[in-house]
Each structure stands twice: as structure tokens, then as C-alpha cells.
Amino acid sequence: MASQIARRLIILGAPGSGKSTIANRIVKTYGMPYIVVGDLFRRHIQERSEDSRTMKEHIDKGVLLPDDLVLKSIADELEKVREQGFLLDGYPRTLNQAEMLHRQTKIDHVIALNVPADEIINRLKDRWVHLPSGRVYNLLWSAPKVPGKDDETGEPLSQREDDKPAIIRHRLNTYDKNTNPIMEFYKKLGVLQEFHGRESDKIWPELKKYLDYVLKEPTAQKVAA
Ligand SMILES: Nc1nc2c(ncn2[C@@H]2O[C@H](COP(=O)(O)OP(=O)(O)O)[C@@H](O)[C@H]2O)c(=O)[nH]1
Ligand SMILES: Nc1ncnc2c1ncn2[C@@H]1O[C@H](COP(=O)(O)OP(=O)(O)O)[C@@H](O)[C@H]1O
């Protein structure tokens, strides 16, 4: 079912909490454009485009990229989907990013995944990705049909540099440091909804019930004429 009115959604969560996994189910169910900030940077790095060196240096060490570079990178993508609405994954990661976005684009719903850290660390050691598409697999939980190969293209899967345990711990610390001010920001705006759990298959039914309700409500931003 595609939502008829532009809805602007954000999915928040720690690295490895299942944002991409859940976001793909949201996109399949409600049919809105899906912007994955991390994949955007990985594409820049693969294409060796402008700023790709800075991006690679930061990402391989699990260090957040400068706020202004991030907003510059996603501005064009958001502009392209302003009318249809979108699901944004991987932004904001700092309060400043949330405030900068709020000045440009009002967000209708913020979905926050809350998954225990031990569960996340356990998952990420088995995360394999198909870099060109951003498709995500897990050797124990959602393995590819052919080991090491992407289900759709048959191209090789790889593990991300920043999924190494030491880098993950750093990224989780960064997330813990930054997340409360961002959650408070969206709580004050009355758009935050948190979902707690250890498994995406348990979080999804509750999240879908919530979205079925809110996406039917005509509360979304009237698309600017
Ligand atoms: N064991 C397990 N793995 C999961 C679950 N949900 C997602 N994953 C896997 O955990 C890893 C992180 O999920 P991902 O969607 O990439 O999280 P993101 O970093 O927040 O986008 C991937 O390998 C997923 O396939 C789950 O409920 N259980
Ligand atoms: N909004 C952002 N602000 C700053 N850096 C970011 C942002 N989003 C992604 N990055 C950079 O890209 C890396 C990978 O992000 P992402 O693919 O979203 O990780 P995950 O899917 O594991 O949460 C981050 O560790 C960070 O270095």
C-alpha cells in the first residue's frame, strides 16, 4: 500500500540495530523512497568522487563525518524526493544535524530502534554486504542463497572495514554519546516512537501496526504548493 500523502520518516538506531533490515520492510510495505546515508558515502568512495578520501578515512575508523559534509551530501537526495516523502536511514547522528535538517525539512515520524548492545555486537561479526546495492546479509540469521554471493546479482559479498569489533565498539560509544539529545529533540517535537527488542521479526509487527495507523492519518505535511 503506497501512502498517498508525502510522509517524511527517519529511522534511528545504533549501528547493527537492524535499521536497514526493518527499513527494507517499510519500503516494501508503504512504497516510499529510501535514503541510506552510509550507502551514499560508500558509493562516493567506490566512485572516488569529491570528498571520498575524507569519507573513507572517517568511515574506516568509525568516526562520524563532519555535519556540514553530511548535510551537503544528502541535500540533493532529499530535494529529489521532497514531494513523495521518504524514509531516511543513518541521519541525524548529532543534535546539530537534527537541528540543521529541521530548519529545512519538517519530519513527520521518527522511528527509533532500541536493541541491546550485546545483541548488536553478536550480529555484526556475521554481517556481509553487497556494496553496490547496499543489500545486507547475516551468516546466521539471513544467509545468502549461495555462500558469499548476492542473491540478486551473484556478485561477491564483502565485510565492511568498520564492522571489525574494535571499530564497532567505537561506533557504539559514539552512538550512545549522541543519541539522547537527538531523541529528546524529536520527543519535544512529538514525532518520536521507540521500539525495543532483540529481534527484527519481533519488532516489525509492532512497528507495522504503528505505521498502518499513522500513515493513514492525514497529519502529514501538506506538500508545499
Ligand atoms: N540475529 C539477528 N540478526 C539480525 C536481525 N535483524 C538484522 N540482523 C542482521 O544484523 C546485521 C545488522 O542489521 P542491519 O539491518 O544492517 O542494521 P543497521 O546497521 O542498523 O542498518 C545484519 O547482518 C542483519 O542481517 C535479527 O533480528 N537477528
Ligand atoms: N549522519 C551521519 N553523520 C556522520 N557520519 C555518518 C552519518 N551516517 C553515516 N556516517 C558515517 O558512515 C559510517 C557508516 O554508517 P552506516 O552505514 O549508517 O552504519 P550502520 O549501518 O552500521 O549504522 C558511520 O560510522 C560514519 O562514519
Side-chain angles (χ1 to χ4, degrees):
M1 172 196 74
S3 86
Q4 302 308 315
I5 311 175
R7 286 292 196 289
R8 300 179 183 123
L9 284 80
I10 283 176
I11 185 164
L12 292 179
S17 59
K19 294 187 296 299
S20 313
T21 301
I22 294 275
N24 277 296
R25 298 183 192 186
I26 294 174
V27 171
K28 275 203 188 84
T29 309
Y30 303 100
M32 78 264 286
Y34 175 38
I35 300 174
V36 193
V37 179
D39 287 352
L40 207 60
F41 295 141
R42 282 184 282 275
R43 253 199 315 282
H44 278 300
I45 293 168
Q46 275 185 307
E47 290 154 8
R48 298 185 197 290
S49 58
E50 186 201 352
D51 299 318
S52 61
R53 243 167 65 85
T54 315
M55 290 176 180
K56 182 157 174 47
E57 275 157 20
H58 282 73
I59 292 177
D60 285 356
K61 287 190 269 185
V63 173
L64 292 181
L65 288 159
D67 292 341
D68 50 6
L69 172 58
V70 179
L71 200 67
K72 182 182 112 184
S73 308
I74 67 169
D76 297 349
E77 300 296 319
L78 291 179
E79 204 38 48
K80 282 182 216 159
V81 294
R82 175 174 284 282
E83 303 298 303
Q84 301 150 276
F86 51 77
L87 173 62
L88 181 57
D89 173 349
Y91 184 103
R93 291 248 156 107
T94 64
L95 179 58
N96 184 41
Q97 286 184 14
E99 291 165 340
M100 291 197 297
L101 179 66
H102 187 63
R103 285 194 284 274
Q104 287 176 11
T105 307
K106 296 297 168 270
I107 297 296
D108 296 300
H109 306 289
V110 176
I111 295 155
L113 303 182
N114 195 323
V115 176
D118 66 300
E119 169 67 26
I120 285 177
I121 291 172
N122 187 36
R123 288 178 181 182
L124 286 181
K125 64 182 180 351
D126 296 313
R127 172 159 73 177
W128 285 76
V129 295
H130 176 244
L131 279 171
S133 67
R135 273 186 290 277
V136 167
Y137 298 86
N138 190 279
L139 294 192
L140 302 181
W141 185 74
S142 64
K145 293 187 189 88
V146 175
K149 301 277 185 230
D150 174 52
D151 287 354
E152 315 241 325
T153 64
E155 289 170 353
L157 301 178
S158 51
Q159 284 214 290
R160 286 168 34 179
E161 199 49 41
D162 58 343
D163 274 352
K164 290 197 168 64
I167 309 280
I168 281 294
R169 268 190 291 282
H170 178 73
R171 290 166 63 206
L172 288 174
N173 291 340
T174 306
Y175 178 80
D176 288 345
K177 197 159 52 60
N178 290 316
T179 194
N180 288 337
I182 296 170
M183 305 282 269
E184 281 314 306
F185 179 78
Y186 287 122
K187 232 177 242 167
K188 281 200 193 97
L189 290 174
V191 295
L192 179 74
Q193 189 69 28
E194 263 196 286
F195 295 88
H196 295 251
R198 296 190 80 86
E199 294 176 51
S200 298
D201 290 342
K202 293 226 168 76
I203 290 172
W204 173 241
E206 198 195 321
L207 201 157
K208 183 178 180 308
K209 213 159 69 195
Y210 169 75
L211 288 178
D212 280 347
Y213 174 70
V214 294
L215 293 183
K216 277 207 185 91
E217 291 304 294
T219 55
Q221 309 275 337
K222 289 280 170 285
V223 174

